[in-house]
Amino acid sequence: LRRTLAEAGIDNPAYEARLLLAGVLGIGLPALALRSGRPLTEAEAATLEAFAARRLAREPVARILGEWEFWGLPFALSPDTLVPRPDTETVVEAALARIPDRSRTFALIDLGTGTGCLLVALLHECPKAWGLGIDRSPGALATARANARRNGVAERALFAASDWAAAVSGSFDLVVSNPPYIASPVIATLDPDVREHDPMAALDGGADGLDAYRRILDEAPRLLRPGGHLLLEIGYDQGESVPRLAAGLPLAIEEVRPDLSGNARCVALRRI
Ligand SMILES: C[S@@+](CC[C@H](N)C(=O)[O-])C[C@H]1O[C@@H](n2cnc3c(N)ncnc32)[C@H](O)[C@@H]1O
């Protein structure tokens, strides 16, 4: 399998082969490493062959497996949800850096929740916090609800449909969002793994990629308690354009935080 994937030009053939095999066996990678050399059953071999064929047709491994890990937690995917990216963990880190006492009660809202990964990861870290996950896609909301249940935070998580925060009232200590931020003309140039499998509503940020930020920054002062924080994931080249949109709003820019590759990834703002 590794060789077939390598010959097809897949980037990480050994890693992907292990992930697909672990998926067939219904175990994690650590368990796969310890597994004795039992041959695959006929059914397992057929499933692996089907998985390989899908991968060779450029379907991402996450889509084939139907779930992906984020912040060490499992998240089910659906055609309506983005695959959670490791870069997005930068937003979780930036949020936790602003929560000195994780055992206190506070309220957070995740705008464009998708799989629910940001909200669920933060509720998992902060056992007395509660949160609202917003998305415009009913399919994404159903998946996010299931993920909250699966990760044991459902009793502190609510999910609701809204066009950004238009249908939301109330105030929050923390607003997080990873909105669509790819400029529409750039979408055609994206890798087919992304362009053909992630939902367009999760990618398309309008003509200059900044449409969602304009909306969210306008709504944030109303949503945030004084001293509350807004954390926005941004594209690698938006470290100046997104903070600029906050000019004139009662929001102070605290930092533009890089991801593990050193790219600008998260803008942190505080309600003045
Ligand atoms: C880039 S994805 C992020 C998903 C998830 N938070 C993550 O980090 O993986 C953006 C999400 O915003 C949602 N979205 C797009 N436009 C929206 C709108 N006008 N109102 C609410 N949600 C929207 C999409 O459906 C999608 O789930």
Side-chain angles (χ1 to χ4, degrees):
L1 176 61
R2 185 179 50 75
R3 198 171 335 113
T4 315
L5 296 179
E7 281 165 9
I10 304 277
D11 269 350
N12 273 314
Y15 176 61
E16 293 206 358
R18 281 203 303 280
L19 279 175
L20 291 173
L21 180 57
V24 167
L25 297 171
I27 58 178
L29 286 184
L32 183 70
L34 296 174
R35 179 176 170 271
S36 63
R38 168 177 81 72
L40 295 182
T41 64
E42 232 170 82
E44 287 167 346
T47 307
L48 189 60
E49 209 168 298
F51 279 8
R54 288 168 66 181
R55 186 62 191 115
L56 294 178
R58 299 282 153 176
E59 190 172 343
V61 175
R63 298 282 170 199
I64 297 169
L65 298 176
E67 64 174 53
W68 205 236
E69 200 178 274
F70 179 82
W71 202 255
L73 303 169
F75 287 87
L77 308 174
S78 77
D80 301 304
T81 61
L82 187 85
V83 176
R85 308 294 207 268
D87 290 341
T88 301
E89 296 186 345
T90 313
V91 179
V92 179
E93 286 163 4
L96 292 176
R98 287 165 175 78
I99 305 169
D101 176 8
R102 293 190 198 176
S103 65
R104 79 183 169 93
T105 301
F106 68 92
L108 74 129
I109 180 167
D110 175 13
L111 296 172
T113 198
T115 51
C117 59
L118 281 172
L119 182 67
V120 169
L122 286 166
L123 292 179
H124 198 263
E125 292 292 332
C126 304
K128 292 207 185 112
W130 70 272
L132 181 56
I134 295 292
D135 210 288
R136 202 170 46 178
S137 154
L141 289 168
T143 304
R145 262 187 212 105
N147 284 326
R149 274 197 299 277
R150 179 168 183 185
N151 288 296
V153 301
E155 69 286 357
R156 295 180 288 121
L158 274 170
F159 294 93
S162 172
D163 178 13
W164 299 124
V168 180
S169 58
S171 58
F172 298 84
D173 302 283
L174 183 63
V175 178
V176 294
S177 183
N178 172 18
Y181 55 68
I182 314 286
S184 311
V186 174
I187 288 181
T189 69
L190 295 178
D191 195 287
D193 284 27
V194 174
R195 196 180 64 225
E196 290 167 16
H197 294 281
D198 279 318
M200 212 38 74
L203 301 176
D204 192 347
D208 61 359
L210 299 173
D211 282 2
Y213 297 112
R214 291 189 183 90
R215 287 284 308 276
I216 293 169
L217 284 162
D218 274 350
E219 289 169 338
R222 166 177 76 78
L223 294 174
L224 279 168
R225 295 189 181 128
H229 290 98
L230 167 63
L231 301 168
L232 294 171
E233 176 164 332
I234 56 167
Y236 72 96
D237 56 353
Q238 294 172 326
E240 288 176 13
S241 52
V242 171
R244 216 178 293 134
L245 296 176
L249 296 171
L251 295 167
I253 296 155
E254 287 195 322
E255 67 166 330
V256 177
R257 200 177 178 98
D259 59 26
L260 287 177
S261 322
N263 292 317
R265 188 57 61 192
C266 175
V267 180
L269 304 106
R270 186 173 34 82
R271 174 75 164 98
I272 302 166

